[in-house]
Amino acid sequence: MLALWGMLAQFSYTKMVIVVDGDINPRDWDDVAWALATRMDPSRDVVILVDRSASIRSSFAQARRAALAVMSGLALGDGVQLFAFDHDREPFHGDGTSFLALAPEVIEQADRFLSALGPRGGTELEEALLHAGKIPRREGRTRAVVL
């Protein structure tokens, strides 16, 4: 996605890219609008995985800003869970087995959570992904894992 946005200078003003299935004509706005109205579920549950291992020591602040930007781009009420991972996994909310409804104060809490962390340990992504996958699916919601 970033490669697409970075391809041309005018893409820097792009706020949304719409990708449609093969049976939708992307040049026919009526087709695209129909697909958006009937096939898209805007309710999301998002798991954000933030690598806090020692190997990213110099870019942890950037990872923190990116995680907060993802949260800020979600709709209020979307579900969110965040894990900081290295050789261990530290959930932002509770024991990491559920989602928290996104609200402005949740983003502030996530900022405080991430700001209190420092780089340490080794990178064990597999365990972080397994933990993200164990959070129960909620009916009618699209799930995304952001790394």
Side-chain angles (χ1 to χ4, degrees):
M1 184 71 66
L2 291 176
L4 179 63
W5 283 342
M7 202 166 61
L8 299 172
Q10 66 266 28
F11 279 165
S12 65
Y13 299 105
T14 302
K15 298 296 180 200
M16 181 179 3
V17 175
I18 301 171
V19 179
V20 295
D21 292 324
D23 63 327
I24 302 298
N25 178 357
R27 291 182 169 80
D28 181 348
W29 182 244
D30 289 335
D31 265 8
V32 173
W34 176 84
L36 287 173
T38 62
R39 295 185 179 177
M40 187 178 91
D41 180 4
S43 298
R44 291 178 289 248
D45 284 337
V46 178
V47 181
I48 302 170
L49 303 176
V50 178
D51 184 353
R52 68 173 293 188
S53 64
S55 63
I56 67 144
R57 178 177 294 111
S58 62
S59 58
F60 183 73
Q62 188 175 8
R64 181 182 137 262
R65 286 192 305 273
L68 295 172
V70 167
M71 290 178 79
S72 296
L74 296 172
L76 295 180
D78 278 351
V80 67
Q81 179 58 273
L82 184 146
F83 288 96
F85 73 94
D86 49 16
H87 59 276
D88 198 7
R89 281 116 346 257
E90 190 172 342
F92 155 63
H93 172 68
D95 61 0
T97 59
S98 63
F99 291 99
L100 184 63
L102 188 67
E105 57 272 11
V106 171
I107 297 172
E108 292 170 10
Q109 291 168 3
D111 188 20
R112 286 193 299 272
F113 169 77
L114 291 170
S115 293
L117 300 175
R120 66 168 200 196
T123 304
E124 293 196 25
L125 177 59
E126 182 178 6
E127 285 297 317
L129 289 169
L130 289 172
H131 272 69
K134 288 180 183 177
I135 301 174
R137 283 197 165 281
R138 298 193 302 175
E139 187 66 33
R141 300 183 73 88
T142 300
R143 174 183 264 178
V145 177
V146 178
L147 176 62

